[in-house]
Amino acid sequence: MKSPFFKCLALAGALVFAWNCSEEASSEAPAQEGQQAEEPVFVQSWLIEGDVSYVIIPQADAYIVTDIAGTQIGLFDTANKTIIGMSGEVIAANINLDEQPVMTPERTIVYPNGMIKDFNGNIIAEPNVPASSETLPPPASSAEAVPQSSAAIQSSAAAPASSSSVKSSSSAKSSSSVKSSSSEKSSSSVKSSSSRATTTEFKVKSGGHQGHGWGTRYWDCCKPHCAWPDNAGDNPSSTCDNKMNALGPFFKNICENGVSESDGAGVCDTQAPWAANDQLAFGFAAVPAQDGGKCGVCFLLTFDGGDHQGGGNGLNGKKMVIMVSNIGGDVQQGQFDLMIPGGGVGMFNGCGKQLGIGSMGAQYGGYLSECGGGNKGCLLDKCKQLSKFPKLQAGCEFLANWMNAADNPTFKFEELESCPWELKEKW
């Protein structure tokens, strides 16, 4: 006699087929007598076993989560490895898809230890190593299901995060306001900065976008354009709450009307720029709105010592690698709006909500515009207003120290073949 679990699983398997049948397919006429009806398309899915079990089904725009009976109960947040219920509650956390059993198109379940079962619970292949039921107990909860390696499918969860300079909330999509209990974004695909050497060589993309441009600055605290999966090729940048805890991609933009500081997503403090040494720095930036497809693309900026107003700044020869995280409706071709805390909020301002800071300096140019280009002392003093957020204060001081309080510096920009790990880690 089969376990009720596998009876339900057989039903869930049928429903996995249903999730992947298009509306067009459902509207087609049924097969005529004597003709064989086409088998519906089945997509590999993950089985999360525990006291309560779930099926995670990848779709084009989201990861659907159902119970074993096939009823949708929520979505899977790939960034935070969390199942989020339909009402926004966290149902299960710490789920590594690479370590879960996989439901295959052949209607089998492939377990991490090599065992294969059909949907009725029949064993098709034994485990790779002998194991008794005592050595492979079911996990106490779905959040603890961590077998050793299955990897029939790899999670598409990506890493790093960002925000917007001149972000358009009208173009930003938000599917729901869902909060994750995770306090930090996972970056399992990259090692920590303490164990890797700083990247110092960068390969320019053949035929990539390049030219001579200039840098402005901003920090508006808004959820960036590239934080929506649809805008970033399902590799959205991370976002944070007002305590700089990482959030999933389904939170609403904190800059939208009616969204409070407690349930909105803004930019993370990890997006502030930093210096690797006296000659090399890393950071994030917004590009013109018509370049919205460049989410996650990196550019090498080589400063020439000049500025957009025709002056000088002592940056000649310094290099900065930036990753595109946002778009700006008022950003021009050749312009890179560098994310620098205290650099001005631009068209949108979510800093009052996220940071609890009333003034971020002049709307365009921020603290430096109030101090005047080159005035390091004044700028460093104003950066102290961000002391509640040490990473933001350090990013503000970066403008004074590494960039010599330069106002709109000019540079040569070159698109890179790939982004360095330093930026991927913070995406």
Side-chain angles (χ1 to χ4, degrees):
M1 179 174 169
K2 305 302 178 196
S3 162
F5 171 83
F6 283 98
K7 289 183 179 179
C8 289
L9 186 58
L11 174 59
L15 286 163
V16 171
F17 281 93
W19 279 114
N20 291 277
C21 294
S22 65
E23 293 181 4
E24 291 78 10
S26 65
S27 63
E28 291 177 357
Q32 298 296 318
E33 184 177 354
Q35 291 181 338
Q36 180 148 1
E38 285 190 20
E39 190 75 26
V41 178
F42 176 80
V43 64
Q44 293 186 116
S45 303
W46 293 273
L47 174 62
I48 313 301
E49 295 181 290
D51 291 344
V52 179
S53 297
Y54 307 100
V55 177
I56 299 178
I57 308 168
Q59 299 289 286
D61 56 353
Y63 281 54
I64 302 297
V65 181
T66 72
D67 59 20
I68 290 302
T71 302
Q72 183 178 356
I73 56 90
L75 298 172
F76 181 65
D77 179 351
T78 57
N80 290 303
K81 301 181 180 181
T82 303
I83 294 177
I84 306 296
M86 303 301 285
S87 299
E89 74 281 11
V90 176
I91 295 177
N94 303 321
I95 297 175
N96 188 340
L97 295 185
D98 291 344
E99 299 174 338
Q100 307 306 320
V102 173
M103 299 168 62
T104 75
E106 292 75 29
R107 297 187 178 96
T108 61
I109 307 169
V110 181
Y111 287 82
N113 63 4
M115 182 170 63
I116 301 176
K117 293 183 180 180
D118 64 21
F119 281 3
N120 292 316
N122 300 306
I123 297 177
I124 299 173
E126 296 291 342
N128 293 330
V129 293
S132 67
S133 57
E134 287 76 24
T135 61
L136 291 173
S141 71
S142 57
E144 296 174 1
V146 286
Q148 285 308 304
S149 86
S150 123
I153 302 182
Q154 290 200 351
S155 167
S156 64
S162 96
S163 171
S164 140
S165 103
V166 252
K167 180 205 155 308
S168 168
S169 48
S170 61
S171 66
K173 282 179 77 172
S174 169
S175 35
S176 63
S177 178
V178 183
K179 187 159 187 175
S180 162
S181 63
S182 171
S183 63
E184 291 188 5
K185 181 158 184 166
S186 167
S187 58
S188 58
S189 61
V190 291
K191 297 178 183 178
S192 69
S193 57
S194 61
S195 63
R196 302 188 70 173
T198 299
T199 306
T200 56
E201 296 184 2
F202 310 97
K203 190 171 183 179
V204 175
K205 182 178 180 180
S206 177
H209 189 42
Q210 58 182 280
H212 191 264
W214 76 102
T216 48
R217 57 192 178 274
Y218 83 96
W219 192 276
D220 60 8
C221 298
C222 299
K223 179 178 180 178
H225 172 81
C226 298
W228 277 271
D230 286 354
N231 298 335
D234 290 327
N235 180 25
S237 65
S238 60
T239 56
C240 286
D241 62 15
N242 60 351
K243 294 181 175 60
M244 293 302 163
N245 296 318
L247 303 175
F250 302 111
F251 274 80
K252 292 182 178 179
N253 183 2
I254 199 169
C255 289
E256 293 180 14
N257 292 331
V259 178
S260 72
E261 66 276 5
S262 62
D263 60 8
V267 65
C268 294
D269 56 3
T270 53
Q271 302 307 299
W274 74 99
N277 54 51
D278 289 343
Q279 296 297 311
L280 176 64
F282 297 93
F284 295 83
V287 296
Q290 55 265 46
D291 289 341
K294 291 190 179 296
C295 283
V297 173
C298 284
F299 288 85
L300 173 64
L301 312 180
T302 303
F303 295 92
D304 58 20
D307 63 39
H308 201 50
Q309 296 79 243
N313 50 42
L315 295 181
N316 190 33
K318 287 192 173 188
K319 298 179 184 294
M320 183 174 185
V321 181
I322 63 93
M323 193 173 192
V324 175
S325 61
N326 199 19
I327 60 172
D330 55 357
V331 179
Q332 304 173 38
Q333 287 298 324
Q335 177 185 358
F336 289 79
D337 209 7
L338 306 177
M339 291 186 64
I340 298 178
V345 296
M347 295 175 66
F348 301 91
N349 184 3
C351 295
K353 291 182 186 177
Q354 190 189 35
L355 306 181
I357 296 175
S359 174
M360 295 289 285
Q363 180 179 0
Y364 290 95
Y367 297 146
L368 185 59
S369 290
E370 291 183 339
C371 293
N375 192 338
K376 292 184 181 182
C378 173
L379 178 56
L380 288 170
D381 187 59
K382 287 184 176 292
C383 289
K384 294 176 183 177
Q385 298 180 52
L386 301 174
S387 60
K388 182 181 176 182
F389 300 90
K391 291 179 182 177
L392 299 186
Q393 182 177 354
C396 180
E397 293 172 348
F398 167 87
L399 176 59
N401 296 323
W402 193 88
M403 293 191 68
N404 295 326
D407 191 15
N408 300 343
T410 51
F411 44 68
K412 176 184 178 181
F413 64 86
E414 300 170 287
E415 184 177 348
L416 298 179
E417 274 197 359
S418 61
C419 291
W421 68 266
E422 290 90 343
L423 292 170
K424 290 180 180 179
E425 188 176 55
K426 296 177 182 292
W427 178 255

